[in-house]
Amino acid sequence: MIGDKKVLFSGMQATGSLTLGNYLGALKNWVALSEEYECFYSVVDLHSITVRQDPAELRKKARNLLMLYIAAGIDPEKNCLYYQSHASAHCELAWILDCFTYMGELNRMTQFKDKSAKHADNINAGLFTYPVLMAADILLYQADVVPVGKDQLQHLELTRDIANRFNSIYGDVFTIPEPYLGKAGAKIMSLQDPSKKMSKSDENPNASIYLTDDKDTIIRKFKRAVTDSDSAIRYDVENKPGVSNLIEIYGAVTNKSFEEVEKEFEGKGYGDFKLAVGEAVADILEPLHVRFAELSADKAYIDKIIKENGEKADYYSKKTLRKVQKKVGFPERIR
Ligand code: ATP
Ligand code: LTN
């Protein structure tokens, strides 16, 4: 708890451009929860370098991501939006937690398997220990809840295991975090291959809707979305994965249930449906584009947010780190 509020932590990688999957699976919930909890929303740039990055690009993407958090509706004066690399406790706790995590546990992580297959020429140790750094992120702030998409549940389960293991040895040091999955949109699939999740690192730009895409691009991408040769607009993930994904998207964006969506498009063709999905998505992204452009023009304001929130994150994370260092037996500093 901070004051009388429960704590929330979440983060996104500053790699690629955010997709509609990131928005519906995570960011939209972040906004909804930001009034109720004491929130720490991090741009996890330390995590980003598990895959090779161009330095100038990474810096630019990290700043854009932070601005997107604000443009999506998170108030940076009330919530802590910061760069992970600005709070050194993340790395320090990650090392300690590495020593409480088993190789076998990390070997089972599906994101590690996927990313190693994708980057076979660079299977580095950071990619392997990535979930431990994520556990450190969450545990440093004593987070009660962590809103994420379904793909991150395995990492969260590991975080809970590590925290319980540590607590069982040293007493109640860490709060055990609960995942928070939104009602809709927890897993948006690729528009070109509905068996894969929509991912910002997909090489095919038609597979994802980027939050920065303009209306024409959005409509064009939905028009090209892979469906099936049947013509019914019916939710059936097994037999109609493409159409089901579009129903999921439309439902999440308009706050309608699958049944309501099916009913609305009864007797209509895929063409009409795809156009409606495209327009609904473009409509919710429009205000975000406007706000993002305003923020991009206000360098001093963003710099102030980065400075103040970086200091706040540093303060809270160091508090937990000191406690952990003492528990494991590191000598106290002499001041
Ligand atoms: P990358 O392709 O670089 O691995 P990503 O698109 O998977 O990136 P992350 O930075 O790993 O995005 O995820 C940010 C947040 O968005 C996480 O909470 C994750 O669960 C959520 N998320 C990512 N992809 C989807 C998706 N397709 N549907 C719903 N939520 C998603
Ligand atoms: N691993 C997450 C990003 C991430 C995160 C976190 C999410 C890093 N640290 C802490 C929630 C809490 C991802 O790849 N989406």
Side-chain angles (χ1 to χ4, degrees), residues 12-13 15 21-22 25 115 149 151 186 188 197-201:
M12 281 197 205
Q13 297 198 60
T15 40
N22 301 128
K115 295 237 161 160
D151 61 305
I188 301 298
K197 76 161 188 163
M198 187 182 282
S199 162
K200 57 179 141 67
S201 56

Side-chain angles (χ1 to χ4, degrees), residues 123-154:
I123 306 177
N124 59 69
L127 199 59
F128 189 62
T129 58
Y130 176 114
V132 185
L133 179 59
M134 175 161 164
D137 298 342
I138 297 167
L139 300 177
L140 274 175
Y141 299 90
Q142 306 288 0
D144 297 283
V145 292
V146 183
V148 281
K150 262 189 199 149
D151 61 305
Q152 295 300 312
L153 286 182
Q154 196 186 30

